[in-house]
Amino acid sequence: MTDFTGFDLAQPILRAIADEGYSTPTPIQQKSIPALLEGHDLLGVAQTGTGKTASFALPLLNRLASNGTRPQSRKPRALILAPTRELAGQINDSIRAYGRHMHLRSTVVYGGASIRPQIKTLAQGVHILVATPGRLIDLMNQRHLYLDDVEIFILDEADRMLDMGFIPDVKKITAALPNKRQTVMFSATMPGTIQGLADGLLRDPIRVEVAPAATTVEKIEQRVLFVRKDNKRALLGELLDDRDISRVLIFTRTKHGADRVSRHLHQNGIQSDAIHGNKTQNARQRALNSFRSGKIRALVATDIAARGIDVDGVTHVINFDLPNEPESYVHRIGRTARAGASGIAISFCDVEERGYLRDIEKIIRQSVPVFEDHSFHAAEIANDTRPAKRPQQRRNSSGPRRRHRGRSGNSTKRAA
Ligand code: AMP
């Protein structure tokens, strides 16, 4: 399979793919599209950035187009569940783009936005509904939505649903779906609970898996900068003097931290904005649009808000704070290497974050090279060989620990 015409997809879909400028299917698309076109259920182990949206959206559009009916009021034929508003919005945008030459209607519903227009659109009828779980349940409870006609159900980022406590909601929703349906589930990781959920939802699924985290990470140039906590903002300012850092996503651990960093950048004449869970949907969307269009150079985000953000051309990711879950590191830095591009990821590490760094290095199976050539380099942190205090709230806390990180932080790979 070298291009999309090898798939048995309708002409309007192939035209839309050409409009998007896609020439070669990504590995997940190569594996998923034929299986889904044949009507199989599918379990996809893949993260954002692999092209997974098109891998389920194209077969879905193809199937709905093949037995075209007018949309029924309050009864969609396809349901896609996503954990965050941003991801749900992006999936709907993708569906509209891939379906632009077809007469299929889709909409997105999520919390934090007025429910009235959502009720109205559902009453007028859509073929495809993209939703976050909470708002979907509200609409069902208020009888503005019925799932009896759903033929295709897609559960995206199932592991993130689990992290965000949505599994009971997901179960409530799936209980309302017809038994006769095609089901697709995507998850970046497969913890036991998610495997259990998959066993209950999917019938004889084809399993496809692409690019384990470590492979994605290899395309990204990574560096760690040891710095005292109270010097982090000044260090950020110094780095951003480099105009090559033209579109930068900056991660903080807390919402307040995100606001503080964004304010600091503003005061220093760098256009930036922050997105996190305390911002309204409108404010988040505005910030995202400004970042996408290049109106602002820096977007400061927390992990949840940034999940699934689909912005091309991010030149740098800066971890202002290291995440306490090592998997988040992989998700974060993956924002700068979308669809085959490479990128640079810079992480600040203060004395309390050394344990986080070690856990990250364990899951990416590399040491992150240390960058010493900056004015805030804290040699005492780099050279500190005492065992790090166990930070709290960590997963993956078992297993052997590295006892010493060399000064040079060379990047030799460790055995897998
Ligand atoms: P996703 O993993 O679905 O979030 O997709 C990641 C990015 O890859 C998006 O910006 C898509 O527009 C882009 N993309 C998806 N499929 C392809 C493809 N076959 N060729 C080039 N870009 C793609």
Side-chain angles (χ1 to χ4, degrees), residues 27 33 88 92 120 206 240 245 270 291 301 382 385 416:
I33 293 174
N92 191 45
K120 192 167 160 212
I206 308 270
L240 292 185
I245 305 186
I270 295 162
F291 187 53
T385 56

Side-chain angles (χ1 to χ4, degrees), residues 253-330:
R253 210 155 35 229
T254 67
K255 301 168 194 172
H256 290 304
D259 282 335
R260 269 198 302 271
V261 169
S262 176
R263 254 196 324 269
H264 173 77
L265 292 177
H266 248 294
Q267 284 158 3
N268 286 280
I270 295 162
Q271 287 95 0
S272 76
D273 208 337
I275 58 168
H276 52 65
N278 285 359
K279 296 240 167 175
T280 63
Q281 178 58 22
N282 272 346
R284 286 155 77 162
Q285 204 56 54
R286 234 185 356 258
L288 209 50
N289 290 344
S290 308
F291 187 53
R292 212 174 257 141
S293 69
K295 221 163 98 191
I296 59 172
R297 186 173 156 214
L299 185 66
V300 192
T302 56
D303 283 301
I304 295 223
R307 179 81 186 188
I309 283 183
D310 182 11
V311 178
D312 291 333
V314 172
T315 58
H316 292 71
V317 166
I318 295 182
N319 292 310
F320 188 87
D321 300 313
L322 280 174
N324 50 11
E325 291 181 351
E327 293 86 352
S328 296
Y329 176 83
V330 178

